[in-house]
Amino acid sequence: MDSPVLNIYSPLDMERIFDLMQSYPDAFIVTDTKEIKPELVTQQFTLLTQAAGRRDPALLERIVPQIYSRDMLDIINKVHVFPEVLYTLYQSQDSNEQVIDFVKESGVDITLPTTRVTKSFVKKLKKAGARIYVQTLNDEAEIVKLSRMGVDGFYTDFVAEEDLRQFNGLR
């Protein structure tokens, strides 16, 4: 906790994350644990839900787990049923049709790399009820293009929210 990331950013443990969430009631946290082993996923989300339970169980309503496989949803749901879940496709071998079927059955939202974005896939995901996020975009033209295609949001390294407001053609 005493070693800033890149000598700039303060690391946060769960308690400090919950402090921020209580100070900023419109903030949501998306997990990015990188874990796929069921026992580690269970352990991480158990610790998370226990910590939130001690502080304020309502905080769990603003935690958005990011899952890396369809099976991971069942693992997380055994610990806590979160109102929103993101299925990230950058490691997934699932076909587009498998992803669409999973969205229909589970109600998850989707995060995908630019390499998997097509107009047809976005349209089918939207029809299935998913919100769609693309990672990682830092180019204005690409953000505008994908926004017009129906993408709901973007992971970015450098584009600030105030800059987005100035992009021509962003829906």
Side-chain angles (χ1 to χ4, degrees):
M1 297 301 293
D2 293 330
S3 301
V5 176
L6 301 175
N7 294 318
I8 300 172
Y9 305 106
S10 300
L12 299 174
D13 60 11
M14 281 190 267
E15 294 304 320
R16 289 185 184 172
I17 290 171
F18 293 144
D19 288 343
L20 283 171
M21 291 177 75
Q22 287 182 313
S23 296
Y24 298 93
D26 60 340
F28 283 71
I29 301 296
V30 175
T31 66
D32 191 14
T33 64
K34 306 287 191 238
E35 286 299 338
I36 57 172
K37 292 182 181 175
E39 62 276 5
L40 292 176
V41 172
T42 298
Q43 181 182 28
Q44 286 180 334
F45 281 91
T46 298
L47 291 171
L48 177 70
T49 56
Q50 288 172 345
R54 289 189 298 272
R55 176 71 71 94
D56 178 1
L59 292 171
L60 290 171
E61 303 303 302
R62 295 189 286 132
I63 302 285
V64 182
Q66 184 166 263
I67 61 173
Y68 303 95
S69 69
R70 289 176 285 153
D71 295 340
M72 198 170 163
L73 181 61
D74 290 333
I75 296 165
I76 289 172
N77 282 344
K78 287 177 184 170
V79 176
H80 180 79
V81 178
F82 292 86
E84 296 180 45
V85 174
L86 279 171
Y87 179 24
T88 186
L89 302 183
Y90 75 89
Q91 293 182 18
S92 174
Q93 299 301 310
D94 289 350
S95 70
N96 289 358
E97 295 310 315
Q98 287 174 307
V99 172
I100 292 162
D101 289 343
F102 185 58
V103 167
K104 288 176 184 175
E105 333 170 328
S106 67
V108 298
D109 293 317
I110 299 295
T111 299
L112 63 157
T114 55
T115 56
R116 287 204 63 178
V117 178
T118 65
K119 192 178 251 184
S120 171
F121 191 32
V122 168
K123 186 177 180 178
K124 289 176 183 176
L125 285 169
K126 297 297 279 184
K127 187 175 179 182
R131 284 181 290 192
I132 305 161
Y133 304 92
V134 177
Q135 58 197 29
T136 301
L137 292 171
N138 296 309
D139 177 71
E140 176 180 347
E142 189 75 8
I143 290 171
V144 170
K145 173 184 157 196
L146 294 180
S147 174
R148 289 179 178 166
M149 197 182 289
V151 169
D152 297 290
F154 310 93
Y155 291 46
T156 183
D157 297 316
F158 308 112
V159 181
E161 187 175 353
E162 54 272 9
D163 294 339
L164 287 174
R165 292 188 189 107
Q166 297 175 21
F167 288 3
N168 290 324
L170 195 64
R171 63 175 183 86

